[in-house]
């Protein structure tokens, strides 16, 4: 007598790890369609979705939010979301890698920084220095400030001030600074290590 045993070819079940998503079932069989959604949408926020580490372009449905759909593979799957406030200001000075300050007053003192916050503070203050278009022939020894800004790729830009004047180093013309230089020197003085 021949006995036939029938063993079903039952598909194995796998899990979808998706924190913060809705409609996630406890498990899915291989080949089953997975459809989950992310309903927690904030204004001024960009969302980036990933399925097993690969970027996923989620579609948006008014009643569900962002919807993720895929066919369940033969393994567990992780779905995650990253968000970024789209109103955040990008660092306008992100391509600056270093600022060097040479204070050439009665003695020569030098300081430098690669700190992102310090670079931003210096550049913000430097951009608020107001330089008039009035030329002057005055030259002042022993009272100069040289600022060297280094950018990615090796490009450099320099600013030179003598007493209350901005000096165009190519033409050696002096232009009166009407405001902001004191504040700039105060910020730059942090780079000078006092003995």
């Amino acid at each position: 007598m021949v006995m036939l045993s029938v063993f079903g070819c039952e598909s194995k079940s796998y899990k979808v790890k998706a924190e913060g998503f809705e409609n996630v079932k406890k498990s899915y069989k291989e080949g089953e369609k997975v459809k989950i959604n992310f309903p927690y949408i904030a204004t001024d926020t960009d969302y980036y979705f990933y399925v097993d580490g690969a970027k996923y372009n989620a579609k948006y449905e008014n009643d569900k939010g962002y919807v993720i759909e895929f066919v369940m593979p033969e393994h567990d799957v992780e779905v995650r979301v990253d968000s970024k406030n789209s109103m955040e200001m990008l660092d306008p000075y992100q391509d600056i890698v270093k600022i060097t300050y040479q204070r050439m007053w009665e003695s020569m003192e030098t300081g430098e920084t690669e700190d992102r916050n310090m670079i931003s503070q210096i550049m913000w203050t430097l951009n608020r220095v107001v330089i008039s278009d009035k030329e002057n022939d005055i030259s002042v020894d022993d009272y100069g400030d040289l600022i060297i800004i280094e950018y990615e790729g090796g490009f450099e830009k320099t600013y030179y001030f003598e007493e209350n004047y901005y000096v165009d180093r190519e033409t050696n013309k002096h232009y009166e600074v009407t405001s902001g230089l004191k504040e700039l020197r105060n910020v730059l003085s942090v780079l000078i290590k006092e003995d």
Side-chain angles (χ1 to χ4, degrees), residues 101 103 105 109-112 118 122 145 147 181-194:
Y101 171 47
R103 183 163 68 185
W105 295 3
E109 297 174 290
T110 302
E112 62 182 40
M118 193 66 198
I122 292 168
D145 299 275
I147 304 159
L181 190 52
K182 181 180 177 184
E183 291 78 7
L184 177 61
R185 284 177 171 142
N186 286 341
V187 171
L188 290 167
S189 68
V190 174
L191 300 184
I192 302 296
K193 293 180 174 65
E194 302 290 346

Side-chain angles (χ1 to χ4, degrees), residues 64-79:
K64 291 186 173 73
Y66 287 101
V67 176
I68 309 283
E69 291 182 89
F70 59 92
V71 175
M72 193 67 190
E74 196 180 352
H75 58 78
D76 293 341
V77 172
E78 181 181 14
V79 179

Side-chain angles (χ1 to χ4, degrees), residues 77-98:
V77 172
E78 181 181 14
V79 179
R80 68 180 179 84
V81 59
D82 286 339
S83 62
K84 181 176 174 61
N85 185 332
S86 55
M87 296 301 286
E88 281 179 9
M89 192 107 149
L90 292 175
D91 179 1
Y93 312 116
Q94 60 189 358
D95 56 344
I96 296 174
V97 293
K98 184 165 80 171

Side-chain angles (χ1 to χ4, degrees), residues 3-31:
M3 285 184 78
L4 294 175
S5 294
V6 180
F7 294 98
C9 296
E10 198 173 306
S11 297
K12 193 173 174 191
S13 292
Y14 300 95
K15 294 184 186 278
V16 172
K17 181 184 174 190
E19 277 185 44
F21 289 80
E22 290 188 345
N23 298 318
V24 182
K25 293 173 22 177
K26 286 186 178 181
S27 64
Y28 295 86
K29 296 192 182 308
E30 178 194 350

Side-chain angles (χ1 to χ4, degrees), residues 133-147:
D133 55 3
K134 188 169 86 176
E135 288 183 39
N136 202 308
D137 293 332
I138 293 175
S139 182
V140 181
D141 290 333
D142 296 332
Y143 199 66
D145 299 275
L146 178 64
I147 304 159

